[in-house]
Amino acid sequence: MTGAATSGTASATATGWPDDGLRQWYEERRTASTSTVTQVPLDALRGWRTDPATGDLGHRSGQFFTVTGLDVRGDGGPVPGWQQPIISQPEIGLLGLLVRRRAGLECLVQAKMEPGNVNGVQISPTVQATRSNYTRVHGGTGTPYLEHFVRPVRGSVVADVLQSEQGSWFLGKRNRNMVVEAVGPVPEQENFRWIPLRDLQLLMGLDNVVNMDTRTVLACLAAVLRPSTRPTGDAFADLVARGFSPTGGAVERDVDVLSWLTALRSRRPLVARRIGLAAVRGWHRDRFAIDHDAGRHFSIIGVDVRTAVREVSGWSQPLLRPRGRGVVAFLARPIGGVLHLLARAAVQPGLRDVPELGPTVLCRPENYAHLPVADRPPFLDAVLTAPPERIRYDCVLSEEGGRFHHAENRYMVVEADERVPVRPPEDFRWVTPRQLAMLLAHSHYVTVEGRSLLAVLYSLAGACP
């Protein structure tokens, strides 16, 4: 089923695509990808080795990433401590979107194959590469358009900030999120296409089309370019636009939001310590996977990739495969005529600065099914039992396909009802979209899931520069 913005908010055409030409290009790129991804034993991964002392699974070059272990203590929740595998990728990757001004803003995107994508090819930013990739450790071809981001023309940078990624699966992972305005003509190479920003926003109403890396860069763009406040005729879209407005009244002052988050960080709610993968308790390794003993959370699997549309024609690698589909949702309500979002201080062990601001709900519900109701994520029922008229966005979107295998989340924006208090619990705050966008000018304040939903909210405003 194709997801969509609902209840009169911004949506694509009746076919779900802004125009047939864009859809045809995307389908042609998918057909031409001719890629195969095959699960293989972990010990059969070409170029990878298991460290005999620690059990860590790493690349023989010492680059790319390593699957290691983490010992976590002290968050005060229903599970006071645990151990888990985690991906350590200390190098900083590059996510870059090239833009140009025509009748409106246009973006240069690529149809990119990633081994973990559910549908093979998704729409990615102009550049999406780890440092190991764009420095060609793999020995393959170069990264197209890289020069626009590593040597940008003075005055062409629109946004440039380091941002975190999934803190439950990555240990301290950061990517450089950049938006750069093209100087002079930039022709389309194979698999690349210039498309209007508005069309790219509309594609976020389709399941698994716009990838995570594009969404996080679009959120950083939203932090710089505010939606138009001209009335659109849709009450919710206009409410969202007012939520981005610099003149919109927030229930909490910016400094109070920062003070609240800083106070929580000062308490150090989590202590995470890296350990060897072989020492992780509650998990086991067999020939094909590393699994949780109770069958929850995720697995580490190995895949062999063959493709004709990447820098190299084939490679092997581990992937993290989540259990079940997640739920990522903002509860929203007007306060004083301005849209507010119920943000949560997200405590994830792999974040460099714990916590960061994230959505109201971020979980995989089946991981909590064995716990008492009181220990399940707050407000999950308010999201999952919301009537259709309160659901303003509901779409299945993928997480990063270069490290995760078929990692999908149901992303939602839901209007809050009487079950959601105006004065929320201590680790929640009502904030405006503008306040989240303001924080995106700095590193490590908003989680990657929060950035995805901020990009969605920007699209729901019904207007763009």
PDB file of all heavy atoms in Angstrom, residues 15 107 137-138 147 154 163 175 206 222-223 235 244 247 274 277 279 338 352 395 414 426 435 440 444:
ATOM      1  N   THR A  15      -1.786   9.464  -9.280  1.00  0.00           N
ATOM      2  CA  THR A  15      -0.927   8.305  -9.445  1.00  0.00           C
ATOM      3  C   THR A  15       0.124   8.225  -8.344  1.00  0.00           C
ATOM      4  O   THR A  15       0.850   7.255  -8.257  1.00  0.00           O
ATOM      5  CB  THR A  15      -0.206   8.359 -10.807  1.00  0.00           C
ATOM      6  OG1 THR A  15       0.631   9.517 -10.833  1.00  0.00           O
ATOM      7  CG2 THR A  15      -1.193   8.418 -11.949  1.00  0.00           C
ATOM      8  N   CYS A 107      16.756  20.480  -7.177  1.00  0.00           N
ATOM      9  CA  CYS A 107      17.745  19.657  -6.488  1.00  0.00           C
ATOM     10  C   CYS A 107      18.273  18.594  -7.443  1.00  0.00           C
ATOM     11  O   CYS A 107      17.504  17.988  -8.198  1.00  0.00           O
ATOM     12  CB  CYS A 107      17.119  18.961  -5.281  1.00  0.00           C
ATOM     13  SG  CYS A 107      16.298  20.070  -4.119  1.00  0.00           S
ATOM     14  N   VAL A 137      39.030   3.784  -1.264  1.00  0.00           N
ATOM     15  CA  VAL A 137      39.671   2.636  -0.632  1.00  0.00           C
ATOM     16  C   VAL A 137      39.288   1.350  -1.353  1.00  0.00           C
ATOM     17  O   VAL A 137      40.078   0.401  -1.442  1.00  0.00           O
ATOM     18  CB  VAL A 137      39.290   2.563   0.864  1.00  0.00           C
ATOM     19  CG1 VAL A 137      39.791   1.274   1.502  1.00  0.00           C
ATOM     20  CG2 VAL A 137      39.845   3.770   1.604  1.00  0.00           C
ATOM     21  N   HIS A 138      38.061   1.308  -1.897  1.00  0.00           N
ATOM     22  CA  HIS A 138      37.568   0.119  -2.596  1.00  0.00           C
ATOM     23  C   HIS A 138      38.223  -0.090  -3.958  1.00  0.00           C
ATOM     24  O   HIS A 138      38.029  -1.122  -4.601  1.00  0.00           O
ATOM     25  CB  HIS A 138      36.050   0.195  -2.765  1.00  0.00           C
ATOM     26  CG  HIS A 138      35.546   1.489  -3.317  1.00  0.00           C
ATOM     27  ND1 HIS A 138      36.018   2.061  -4.480  1.00  0.00           N
ATOM     28  CD2 HIS A 138      34.593   2.341  -2.842  1.00  0.00           C
ATOM     29  CE1 HIS A 138      35.381   3.198  -4.725  1.00  0.00           C
ATOM     30  NE2 HIS A 138      34.513   3.397  -3.735  1.00  0.00           N
ATOM     31  N   GLU A 147      33.455  17.279  -6.128  1.00  0.00           N
ATOM     32  CA  GLU A 147      34.214  18.526  -6.040  1.00  0.00           C
ATOM     33  C   GLU A 147      33.373  19.700  -5.560  1.00  0.00           C
ATOM     34  O   GLU A 147      33.899  20.653  -4.961  1.00  0.00           O
ATOM     35  CB  GLU A 147      34.841  18.858  -7.404  1.00  0.00           C
ATOM     36  CG  GLU A 147      33.856  19.198  -8.504  1.00  0.00           C
ATOM     37  CD  GLU A 147      33.246  17.983  -9.208  1.00  0.00           C
ATOM     38  OE1 GLU A 147      33.503  16.845  -8.748  1.00  0.00           O
ATOM     39  OE2 GLU A 147      32.529  18.170 -10.204  1.00  0.00           O
ATOM     40  N   ARG A 154      33.414  29.800  -2.984  1.00  0.00           N
ATOM     41  CA  ARG A 154      33.098  30.714  -1.884  1.00  0.00           C
ATOM     42  C   ARG A 154      31.709  31.324  -2.102  1.00  0.00           C
ATOM     43  O   ARG A 154      31.389  31.820  -3.179  1.00  0.00           O
ATOM     44  CB  ARG A 154      34.134  31.827  -1.794  1.00  0.00           C
ATOM     45  CG  ARG A 154      33.915  32.782  -0.617  1.00  0.00           C
ATOM     46  CD  ARG A 154      34.973  33.880  -0.608  1.00  0.00           C
ATOM     47  NE  ARG A 154      36.290  33.344  -0.356  1.00  0.00           N
ATOM     48  CZ  ARG A 154      36.821  33.167   0.852  1.00  0.00           C
ATOM     49  NH1 ARG A 154      36.106  33.485   1.933  1.00  0.00           N
ATOM     50  NH2 ARG A 154      38.044  32.689   1.002  1.00  0.00           N
ATOM     51  N   GLN A 163      25.839  15.956  11.687  1.00  0.00           N
ATOM     52  CA  GLN A 163      24.655  15.433  12.358  1.00  0.00           C
ATOM     53  C   GLN A 163      24.847  13.957  12.691  1.00  0.00           C
ATOM     54  O   GLN A 163      25.549  13.226  11.994  1.00  0.00           O
ATOM     55  CB  GLN A 163      23.409  15.600  11.478  1.00  0.00           C
ATOM     56  CG  GLN A 163      23.045  17.038  11.163  1.00  0.00           C
ATOM     57  CD  GLN A 163      22.547  17.823  12.370  1.00  0.00           C
ATOM     58  OE1 GLN A 163      22.535  17.326  13.497  1.00  0.00           O
ATOM     59  NE2 GLN A 163      22.129  19.063  12.148  1.00  0.00           N
ATOM     60  N   ASN A 175      27.595  12.305  10.100  1.00  0.00           N
ATOM     61  CA  ASN A 175      27.738  12.632   8.690  1.00  0.00           C
ATOM     62  C   ASN A 175      27.723  14.143   8.525  1.00  0.00           C
ATOM     63  O   ASN A 175      27.010  14.860   9.247  1.00  0.00           O
ATOM     64  CB  ASN A 175      26.617  12.021   7.851  1.00  0.00           C
ATOM     65  CG  ASN A 175      26.937  10.597   7.425  1.00  0.00           C
ATOM     66  OD1 ASN A 175      28.085  10.249   7.179  1.00  0.00           O
ATOM     67  ND2 ASN A 175      25.908   9.764   7.333  1.00  0.00           N
ATOM     68  N   LEU A 206       5.275   8.889  -0.659  1.00  0.00           N
ATOM     69  CA  LEU A 206       5.287   7.539  -1.223  1.00  0.00           C
ATOM     70  C   LEU A 206       6.175   6.641  -0.375  1.00  0.00           C
ATOM     71  O   LEU A 206       7.236   7.054   0.090  1.00  0.00           O
ATOM     72  CB  LEU A 206       5.809   7.555  -2.664  1.00  0.00           C
ATOM     73  CG  LEU A 206       5.020   8.399  -3.672  1.00  0.00           C
ATOM     74  CD1 LEU A 206       5.728   8.392  -5.021  1.00  0.00           C
ATOM     75  CD2 LEU A 206       3.605   7.863  -3.820  1.00  0.00           C
ATOM     76  N   ALA A 222      15.575  22.961   5.324  1.00  0.00           N
ATOM     77  CA  ALA A 222      14.401  23.593   5.935  1.00  0.00           C
ATOM     78  C   ALA A 222      14.799  24.527   7.058  1.00  0.00           C
ATOM     79  O   ALA A 222      14.095  25.493   7.362  1.00  0.00           O
ATOM     80  CB  ALA A 222      13.442  22.518   6.454  1.00  0.00           C
ATOM     81  N   ALA A 223      15.939  24.252   7.682  1.00  0.00           N
ATOM     82  CA  ALA A 223      16.410  25.123   8.754  1.00  0.00           C
ATOM     83  C   ALA A 223      16.861  26.478   8.231  1.00  0.00           C
ATOM     84  O   ALA A 223      16.936  27.450   8.978  1.00  0.00           O
ATOM     85  CB  ALA A 223      17.567  24.455   9.493  1.00  0.00           C
ATOM     86  N   ALA A 235      -6.237  24.198   6.255  1.00  0.00           N
ATOM     87  CA  ALA A 235      -6.044  24.696   7.616  1.00  0.00           C
ATOM     88  C   ALA A 235      -4.799  24.104   8.269  1.00  0.00           C
ATOM     89  O   ALA A 235      -4.029  24.817   8.923  1.00  0.00           O
ATOM     90  CB  ALA A 235      -7.286  24.386   8.457  1.00  0.00           C
ATOM     91  N   PHE A 244       6.626  27.225  11.457  1.00  0.00           N
ATOM     92  CA  PHE A 244       7.982  27.516  10.993  1.00  0.00           C
ATOM     93  C   PHE A 244       8.302  29.005  11.044  1.00  0.00           C
ATOM     94  O   PHE A 244       9.454  29.401  10.888  1.00  0.00           O
ATOM     95  CB  PHE A 244       8.171  27.030   9.553  1.00  0.00           C
ATOM     96  CG  PHE A 244       8.525  25.569   9.430  1.00  0.00           C
ATOM     97  CD1 PHE A 244       7.571  24.626   9.093  1.00  0.00           C
ATOM     98  CD2 PHE A 244       9.826  25.144   9.628  1.00  0.00           C
ATOM     99  CE1 PHE A 244       7.893  23.290   8.958  1.00  0.00           C
ATOM    100  CE2 PHE A 244      10.175  23.811   9.503  1.00  0.00           C
ATOM    101  CZ  PHE A 244       9.207  22.877   9.165  1.00  0.00           C
ATOM    102  N   THR A 247       8.126  34.563  13.582  1.00  0.00           N
ATOM    103  CA  THR A 247       7.272  35.382  14.453  1.00  0.00           C
ATOM    104  C   THR A 247       6.236  34.559  15.206  1.00  0.00           C
ATOM    105  O   THR A 247       5.464  35.094  15.987  1.00  0.00           O
ATOM    106  CB  THR A 247       6.554  36.451  13.619  1.00  0.00           C
ATOM    107  OG1 THR A 247       5.742  35.811  12.621  1.00  0.00           O
ATOM    108  CG2 THR A 247       7.559  37.362  12.932  1.00  0.00           C
ATOM    109  N   ARG A 274      32.426   0.563  25.246  1.00  0.00           N
ATOM    110  CA  ARG A 274      32.679  -0.402  24.175  1.00  0.00           C
ATOM    111  C   ARG A 274      33.353  -1.644  24.742  1.00  0.00           C
ATOM    112  O   ARG A 274      34.284  -1.559  25.556  1.00  0.00           O
ATOM    113  CB  ARG A 274      33.560   0.228  23.095  1.00  0.00           C
ATOM    114  CG  ARG A 274      33.858  -0.698  21.924  1.00  0.00           C
ATOM    115  CD  ARG A 274      34.502   0.038  20.777  1.00  0.00           C
ATOM    116  NE  ARG A 274      34.982  -0.882  19.758  1.00  0.00           N
ATOM    117  CZ  ARG A 274      35.458  -0.514  18.572  1.00  0.00           C
ATOM    118  NH1 ARG A 274      35.523   0.790  18.263  1.00  0.00           N
ATOM    119  NH2 ARG A 274      35.863  -1.410  17.695  1.00  0.00           N
ATOM    120  N   LEU A 277      32.939  -7.859  20.792  1.00  0.00           N
ATOM    121  CA  LEU A 277      31.689  -8.477  20.348  1.00  0.00           C
ATOM    122  C   LEU A 277      31.510  -9.863  20.967  1.00  0.00           C
ATOM    123  O   LEU A 277      30.391 -10.273  21.302  1.00  0.00           O
ATOM    124  CB  LEU A 277      31.684  -8.563  18.817  1.00  0.00           C
ATOM    125  CG  LEU A 277      30.404  -9.055  18.146  1.00  0.00           C
ATOM    126  CD1 LEU A 277      29.216  -8.180  18.508  1.00  0.00           C
ATOM    127  CD2 LEU A 277      30.587  -9.095  16.626  1.00  0.00           C
ATOM    128  N   ALA A 279      32.228 -10.744  23.866  1.00  0.00           N
ATOM    129  CA  ALA A 279      31.886 -10.629  25.288  1.00  0.00           C
ATOM    130  C   ALA A 279      30.439 -10.200  25.520  1.00  0.00           C
ATOM    131  O   ALA A 279      29.996 -10.132  26.674  1.00  0.00           O
ATOM    132  CB  ALA A 279      32.827  -9.627  25.968  1.00  0.00           C
ATOM    133  N   VAL A 338      -0.400  28.404  16.977  1.00  0.00           N
ATOM    134  CA  VAL A 338       0.845  27.984  16.330  1.00  0.00           C
ATOM    135  C   VAL A 338       1.028  26.481  16.548  1.00  0.00           C
ATOM    136  O   VAL A 338       0.830  25.979  17.659  1.00  0.00           O
ATOM    137  CB  VAL A 338       2.051  28.755  16.905  1.00  0.00           C
ATOM    138  CG1 VAL A 338       3.358  28.253  16.312  1.00  0.00           C
ATOM    139  CG2 VAL A 338       1.890  30.252  16.665  1.00  0.00           C
ATOM    140  N   ARG A 352      26.631  10.750  20.604  1.00  0.00           N
ATOM    141  CA  ARG A 352      27.761  11.428  21.241  1.00  0.00           C
ATOM    142  C   ARG A 352      27.290  12.336  22.367  1.00  0.00           C
ATOM    143  O   ARG A 352      27.945  12.460  23.402  1.00  0.00           O
ATOM    144  CB  ARG A 352      28.538  12.240  20.200  1.00  0.00           C
ATOM    145  CG  ARG A 352      29.368  11.381  19.264  1.00  0.00           C
ATOM    146  CD  ARG A 352      30.012  12.208  18.173  1.00  0.00           C
ATOM    147  NE  ARG A 352      30.875  11.374  17.352  1.00  0.00           N
ATOM    148  CZ  ARG A 352      32.193  11.256  17.499  1.00  0.00           C
ATOM    149  NH1 ARG A 352      32.800  11.933  18.458  1.00  0.00           N
ATOM    150  NH2 ARG A 352      32.903  10.483  16.702  1.00  0.00           N
ATOM    151  N   CYS A 395       3.294   7.207   6.387  1.00  0.00           N
ATOM    152  CA  CYS A 395       4.047   6.666   5.264  1.00  0.00           C
ATOM    153  C   CYS A 395       5.162   5.766   5.781  1.00  0.00           C
ATOM    154  O   CYS A 395       5.730   6.029   6.844  1.00  0.00           O
ATOM    155  CB  CYS A 395       4.627   7.815   4.432  1.00  0.00           C
ATOM    156  SG  CYS A 395       5.172   7.358   2.786  1.00  0.00           S
ATOM    157  N   VAL A 414       0.518  13.068  13.888  1.00  0.00           N
ATOM    158  CA  VAL A 414      -0.820  12.814  14.428  1.00  0.00           C
ATOM    159  C   VAL A 414      -1.245  13.986  15.299  1.00  0.00           C
ATOM    160  O   VAL A 414      -0.481  14.428  16.173  1.00  0.00           O
ATOM    161  CB  VAL A 414      -0.833  11.506  15.260  1.00  0.00           C
ATOM    162  CG1 VAL A 414      -2.219  11.260  15.849  1.00  0.00           C
ATOM    163  CG2 VAL A 414      -0.397  10.324  14.399  1.00  0.00           C
ATOM    164  N   GLU A 426       8.536  14.954  32.220  1.00  0.00           N
ATOM    165  CA  GLU A 426       9.764  15.736  32.270  1.00  0.00           C
ATOM    166  C   GLU A 426      10.643  15.574  31.032  1.00  0.00           C
ATOM    167  O   GLU A 426      11.328  16.514  30.625  1.00  0.00           O
ATOM    168  CB  GLU A 426      10.569  15.349  33.519  1.00  0.00           C
ATOM    169  CG  GLU A 426      11.952  16.002  33.635  1.00  0.00           C
ATOM    170  CD  GLU A 426      11.910  17.536  33.603  1.00  0.00           C
ATOM    171  OE1 GLU A 426      10.865  18.121  33.963  1.00  0.00           O
ATOM    172  OE2 GLU A 426      12.934  18.133  33.223  1.00  0.00           O
ATOM    173  N   GLN A 435      11.617  25.940  16.128  1.00  0.00           N
ATOM    174  CA  GLN A 435      12.620  25.691  17.160  1.00  0.00           C
ATOM    175  C   GLN A 435      13.475  24.475  16.818  1.00  0.00           C
ATOM    176  O   GLN A 435      14.693  24.487  17.027  1.00  0.00           O
ATOM    177  CB  GLN A 435      11.941  25.521  18.517  1.00  0.00           C
ATOM    178  CG  GLN A 435      11.398  26.831  19.067  1.00  0.00           C
ATOM    179  CD  GLN A 435      10.663  26.668  20.378  1.00  0.00           C
ATOM    180  OE1 GLN A 435       9.820  25.780  20.539  1.00  0.00           O
ATOM    181  NE2 GLN A 435      10.957  27.535  21.344  1.00  0.00           N
ATOM    182  N   LEU A 440      18.891  22.767  14.219  1.00  0.00           N
ATOM    183  CA  LEU A 440      19.611  22.068  13.150  1.00  0.00           C
ATOM    184  C   LEU A 440      20.745  22.899  12.574  1.00  0.00           C
ATOM    185  O   LEU A 440      21.522  22.391  11.754  1.00  0.00           O
ATOM    186  CB  LEU A 440      18.653  21.653  12.031  1.00  0.00           C
ATOM    187  CG  LEU A 440      17.780  20.447  12.343  1.00  0.00           C
ATOM    188  CD1 LEU A 440      16.930  20.084  11.149  1.00  0.00           C
ATOM    189  CD2 LEU A 440      18.635  19.258  12.741  1.00  0.00           C
ATOM    190  N   HIS A 444      24.159  17.724  16.624  1.00  0.00           N
ATOM    191  CA  HIS A 444      23.811  16.808  17.709  1.00  0.00           C
ATOM    192  C   HIS A 444      22.693  17.319  18.619  1.00  0.00           C
ATOM    193  O   HIS A 444      22.720  17.078  19.827  1.00  0.00           O
ATOM    194  CB  HIS A 444      25.046  16.475  18.552  1.00  0.00           C
ATOM    195  CG  HIS A 444      26.236  16.064  17.748  1.00  0.00           C
ATOM    196  ND1 HIS A 444      27.520  16.315  18.146  1.00  0.00           N
ATOM    197  CD2 HIS A 444      26.333  15.444  16.543  1.00  0.00           C
ATOM    198  CE1 HIS A 444      28.364  15.856  17.234  1.00  0.00           C
ATOM    199  NE2 HIS A 444      27.666  15.323  16.250  1.00  0.00           N
TER     200      HIS A 444
END
